[in-house]
Amino acid sequence: MNEKAGELVLDHIAIRLGTVELVSLNCSIKPGEVLTVMGPSGSGKSSLLAYIGGFLDKAFTASGKVFSGELELTALPAEARHTGILFQDPLLFPHMSVAGNIVFAIVPDVKGKAARLKRAEDMLAGVGLADMGARDPDTLSGGQKARVALARVLVSSPRALLLDEPFSKLDQTLREQMRALVFEKAREAGLPVIMVTHDEADAVAAGGAIIRVGA
């Protein structure tokens, strides 16, 4: 289990746009479990993830606390929260190799170029991309890029994994493969997961609690 990861607690979270309350949550997610938040576009799903990660747009107002174990994440700046997030697009750095994208995210306590590169190659092998570290990201398929993005998040030793519809641009077969891989890796790492999605199949695959917003 990731030593940083603990139960993720959303303590009376409320997110508003003007006078309209979009999200109101009070719940917890244990390591390895997935909470799915479903709702239409504009219902505040992604804003919830942004608040947890520390980058909520100033157009919104929010209240409530987020804890990882005993640590209050909402008291920390975004860069100190260590919440890993996957978006619809993999957002790989085009000027870096595949391995370079992974090395960039490795925590500083892994010292030395060789050790960091080995960590990156091991992580790539773990997501089914062994021996692809030297590749240019632009030469990868959409499914391969999604796997690199997942590896980059996992190697950063996050306290929680936030999923902002990361499967939505993949075809049906790749969606099923990536869902299985992401949830398997989250369980292996002992990460609490919050996933926002439009897709009922995502929620079924996650197998955890479902909260609907904006209904």
Side-chain angles (χ1 to χ4, degrees):
M1 181 183 293
N2 186 327
E3 292 181 0
K4 290 184 179 178
E7 185 175 39
L8 190 68
V9 178
L10 309 184
D11 183 13
H12 294 90
I13 303 299
I15 298 176
R16 302 174 183 83
L17 182 59
T19 60
V20 179
E21 185 172 83
L22 301 174
V23 175
S24 179
L25 285 179
N26 189 50
C27 61
S28 61
I29 307 99
K30 289 182 170 57
E33 292 187 350
V34 183
L35 170 68
T36 300
V37 180
M38 301 195 70
S41 295
S43 60
K45 304 186 305 298
S46 294
S47 298
L48 171 64
L49 299 188
Y51 181 60
I52 295 169
F55 52 92
L56 181 65
D57 191 288
K58 292 182 179 179
F60 297 88
T61 56
S63 59
K65 297 178 179 180
V66 180
F67 292 90
S68 174
E70 299 297 319
L71 180 66
E72 184 189 343
L73 299 185
T74 35
L76 301 174
E79 64 274 13
R81 297 187 187 190
H82 298 292
T83 51
I85 185 163
L86 289 175
F87 296 98
Q88 293 181 13
D89 296 306
L91 303 178
L92 303 181
F93 301 121
H95 62 288
M96 295 181 179
S97 66
V98 168
N101 269 269
I102 310 302
V103 169
F104 178 84
I106 295 174
V107 292
D109 58 348
V110 178
K111 305 293 186 182
K113 183 177 179 180
R116 293 174 69 82
L117 184 58
K118 185 179 186 306
R119 178 72 63 89
E121 294 288 0
D122 289 346
M123 185 61 70
L124 286 168
V127 297
L129 298 178
D131 302 320
M132 297 186 71
R135 292 274 294 272
D136 183 325
D138 287 341
T139 68
L140 303 182
S141 67
Q144 289 170 334
K145 289 178 180 178
R147 288 171 182 261
V148 175
L150 172 61
R152 186 172 62 183
V153 165
L154 293 174
V155 84
S156 70
S157 299
R159 294 188 173 100
L161 184 58
L162 309 178
L163 306 178
D164 194 354
E165 305 204 49
F167 316 122
S168 63
K169 292 190 175 181
L170 302 174
D171 65 35
Q172 187 61 38
T173 299
L174 285 176
R175 287 184 79 134
E176 292 173 1
Q177 293 174 356
M178 281 305 300
R179 282 189 201 118
L181 180 63
V182 169
F183 299 143
E184 174 192 351
K185 291 299 179 182
R187 286 192 297 270
E188 286 179 0
L191 294 174
V193 181
I194 299 180
M195 174 176 64
V196 302
T197 183
H198 289 93
D199 191 342
E200 296 281 352
D202 286 347
V204 172
I210 300 172
I211 293 176
R212 299 181 188 273
V213 298

